[in-house]
mmCIF file of all heavy atoms in Angstrom:
data_model
loop_
_atom_site.group_PDB
_atom_site.id
_atom_site.type_symbol
_atom_site.label_atom_id
_atom_site.label_comp_id
_atom_site.label_asym_id
_atom_site.label_seq_id
_atom_site.Cartn_x
_atom_site.Cartn_y
_atom_site.Cartn_z
ATOM 1 N N ALA A 92 -0.557 20.372 -4.249
ATOM 2 C CA ALA A 92 -1.412 21.034 -3.266
ATOM 3 C C ALA A 92 -2.809 20.414 -3.260
ATOM 4 O O ALA A 92 -3.402 20.207 -2.196
ATOM 5 C CB ALA A 92 -1.497 22.530 -3.564
ATOM 6 N N ILE A 93 -3.337 20.096 -4.443
ATOM 7 C CA ILE A 93 -4.662 19.476 -4.534
ATOM 8 C C ILE A 93 -4.666 18.120 -3.837
ATOM 9 O O ILE A 93 -5.585 17.793 -3.076
ATOM 10 C CB ILE A 93 -5.086 19.330 -6.017
ATOM 11 C CG1 ILE A 93 -5.378 20.709 -6.612
ATOM 12 C CG2 ILE A 93 -6.315 18.423 -6.141
ATOM 13 C CD1 ILE A 93 -5.655 20.690 -8.099
ATOM 14 N N VAL A 94 -3.631 17.322 -4.069
ATOM 15 C CA VAL A 94 -3.549 15.993 -3.452
ATOM 16 C C VAL A 94 -3.426 16.112 -1.934
ATOM 17 O O VAL A 94 -4.080 15.366 -1.183
ATOM 18 C CB VAL A 94 -2.364 15.197 -4.039
ATOM 19 C CG1 VAL A 94 -2.171 13.884 -3.289
ATOM 20 C CG2 VAL A 94 -2.591 14.910 -5.519
ATOM 21 N N VAL A 95 -2.604 17.037 -1.464
ATOM 22 C CA VAL A 95 -2.401 17.202 -0.017
ATOM 23 C C VAL A 95 -3.685 17.658 0.667
ATOM 24 O O VAL A 95 -4.077 17.120 1.714
ATOM 25 C CB VAL A 95 -1.258 18.203 0.251
ATOM 26 C CG1 VAL A 95 -1.189 18.551 1.735
ATOM 27 C CG2 VAL A 95 0.071 17.613 -0.205
ATOM 28 N N VAL A 96 -4.352 18.658 0.085
ATOM 29 C CA VAL A 96 -5.611 19.145 0.669
ATOM 30 C C VAL A 96 -6.664 18.031 0.668
ATOM 31 O O VAL A 96 -7.380 17.834 1.660
ATOM 32 C CB VAL A 96 -6.125 20.379 -0.103
ATOM 33 C CG1 VAL A 96 -7.533 20.756 0.367
ATOM 34 C CG2 VAL A 96 -5.182 21.558 0.099
ATOM 35 N N ALA A 97 -6.750 17.287 -0.436
ATOM 36 C CA ALA A 97 -7.698 16.176 -0.507
ATOM 37 C C ALA A 97 -7.390 15.132 0.560
ATOM 38 O O ALA A 97 -8.301 14.574 1.190
ATOM 39 C CB ALA A 97 -7.662 15.541 -1.899
ATOM 40 N N ALA A 98 -6.089 14.864 0.789
ATOM 41 C CA ALA A 98 -5.694 13.883 1.807
ATOM 42 C C ALA A 98 -6.145 14.328 3.194
ATOM 43 O O ALA A 98 -6.669 13.526 3.981
ATOM 44 C CB ALA A 98 -4.185 13.681 1.776
ATOM 45 N N LEU A 99 -5.958 15.611 3.498
ATOM 46 C CA LEU A 99 -6.359 16.121 4.813
ATOM 47 C C LEU A 99 -7.872 16.016 5.005
ATOM 48 O O LEU A 99 -8.347 15.631 6.080
ATOM 49 C CB LEU A 99 -5.902 17.578 4.960
ATOM 50 C CG LEU A 99 -4.382 17.805 5.000
ATOM 51 C CD1 LEU A 99 -4.072 19.296 5.020
ATOM 52 C CD2 LEU A 99 -3.770 17.119 6.219
ATOM 53 N N VAL A 100 -8.625 16.350 3.965
ATOM 54 C CA VAL A 100 -10.092 16.301 4.059
ATOM 55 C C VAL A 100 -10.573 14.864 4.195
ATOM 56 O O VAL A 100 -11.436 14.550 5.035
ATOM 57 C CB VAL A 100 -10.729 16.968 2.825
ATOM 58 C CG1 VAL A 100 -12.240 16.755 2.816
ATOM 59 C CG2 VAL A 100 -10.417 18.459 2.805
ATOM 60 N N LEU A 101 -10.012 13.954 3.396
ATOM 61 C CA LEU A 101 -10.479 12.565 3.385
ATOM 62 C C LEU A 101 -10.059 11.794 4.631
ATOM 63 O O LEU A 101 -10.652 10.762 4.954
ATOM 64 C CB LEU A 101 -9.957 11.859 2.133
ATOM 65 C CG LEU A 101 -10.561 12.356 0.805
ATOM 66 C CD1 LEU A 101 -9.818 11.764 -0.385
ATOM 67 C CD2 LEU A 101 -12.038 12.003 0.734
ATOM 68 N N CYS A 102 -9.032 12.273 5.327
ATOM 69 C CA CYS A 102 -8.592 11.621 6.570
ATOM 70 C C CYS A 102 -9.500 11.955 7.749
ATOM 71 O O CYS A 102 -9.562 11.197 8.725
ATOM 72 C CB CYS A 102 -7.163 12.036 6.912
ATOM 73 S SG CYS A 102 -5.900 11.103 6.022
ATOM 74 N N MET A 103 -10.196 13.074 7.677
ATOM 75 C CA MET A 103 -10.966 13.544 8.820
ATOM 76 C C MET A 103 -12.036 12.561 9.303
ATOM 77 O O MET A 103 -12.150 12.324 10.508
ATOM 78 C CB MET A 103 -11.588 14.909 8.511
ATOM 79 C CG MET A 103 -10.583 16.036 8.429
ATOM 80 S SD MET A 103 -9.493 16.115 9.889
ATOM 81 C CE MET A 103 -10.699 16.391 11.191
ATOM 82 N N PRO A 104 -12.855 11.953 8.402
ATOM 83 C CA PRO A 104 -13.861 10.996 8.909
ATOM 84 C C PRO A 104 -13.235 9.841 9.677
ATOM 85 O O PRO A 104 -13.758 9.422 10.720
ATOM 86 C CB PRO A 104 -14.553 10.512 7.622
ATOM 87 C CG PRO A 104 -14.356 11.621 6.647
ATOM 88 C CD PRO A 104 -13.002 12.172 6.953
ATOM 89 N N GLY A 105 -12.117 9.300 9.172
ATOM 90 C CA GLY A 105 -11.444 8.207 9.867
ATOM 91 C C GLY A 105 -10.895 8.637 11.206
ATOM 92 O O GLY A 105 -10.961 7.887 12.199
ATOM 93 N N ILE A 106 -10.346 9.853 11.271
ATOM 94 C CA ILE A 106 -9.812 10.367 12.541
ATOM 95 C C ILE A 106 -10.932 10.544 13.559
ATOM 96 O O ILE A 106 -10.781 10.203 14.741
ATOM 97 C CB ILE A 106 -9.071 11.703 12.292
ATOM 98 C CG1 ILE A 106 -7.803 11.458 11.469
ATOM 99 C CG2 ILE A 106 -8.725 12.382 13.614
ATOM 100 C CD1 ILE A 106 -7.092 12.721 11.045
ATOM 101 N N VAL A 107 -12.072 11.061 13.104
ATOM 102 C CA VAL A 107 -13.217 11.247 14.007
ATOM 103 C C VAL A 107 -13.715 9.898 14.514
ATOM 104 O O VAL A 107 -14.001 9.729 15.704
ATOM 105 C CB VAL A 107 -14.349 12.013 13.293
ATOM 106 C CG1 VAL A 107 -15.610 12.022 14.148
ATOM 107 C CG2 VAL A 107 -13.913 13.441 12.985
ATOM 108 N N ALA A 108 -13.817 8.909 13.609
ATOM 109 C CA ALA A 108 -14.269 7.569 14.013
ATOM 110 C C ALA A 108 -13.305 6.945 15.023
ATOM 111 O O ALA A 108 -13.722 6.301 15.988
ATOM 112 C CB ALA A 108 -14.421 6.673 12.786
ATOM 113 N N ASP A 109 -11.999 7.162 14.809
ATOM 114 C CA ASP A 109 -11.010 6.639 15.746
ATOM 115 C C ASP A 109 -11.127 7.335 17.094
ATOM 116 O O ASP A 109 -10.995 6.700 18.148
ATOM 117 C CB ASP A 109 -9.604 6.816 15.162
ATOM 118 C CG ASP A 109 -8.544 6.179 16.037
ATOM 119 O OD1 ASP A 109 -8.580 4.949 16.218
ATOM 120 O OD2 ASP A 109 -7.675 6.911 16.555
ATOM 121 N N TRP A 110 -11.372 8.630 17.063
ATOM 122 C CA TRP A 110 -11.549 9.397 18.304
ATOM 123 C C TRP A 110 -12.778 8.921 19.073
ATOM 124 O O TRP A 110 -12.793 8.926 20.297
ATOM 125 C CB TRP A 110 -11.673 10.883 17.964
ATOM 126 C CG TRP A 110 -11.865 11.761 19.162
ATOM 127 C CD1 TRP A 110 -10.956 12.033 20.144
ATOM 128 C CD2 TRP A 110 -13.052 12.483 19.515
ATOM 129 N NE1 TRP A 110 -11.492 12.894 21.077
ATOM 130 C CE2 TRP A 110 -12.783 13.182 20.719
ATOM 131 C CE3 TRP A 110 -14.304 12.616 18.927
ATOM 132 C CZ2 TRP A 110 -13.720 13.992 21.329
ATOM 133 C CZ3 TRP A 110 -15.243 13.427 19.539
ATOM 134 C CH2 TRP A 110 -14.952 14.094 20.731
#
Side-chain angles (χ1 to χ4, degrees):
I93 290 174
V94 173
V95 171
V96 171
L99 294 175
V100 172
L101 292 171
C102 278
M103 290 308 299
I106 292 174
V107 171
D109 185 63
W110 180 69

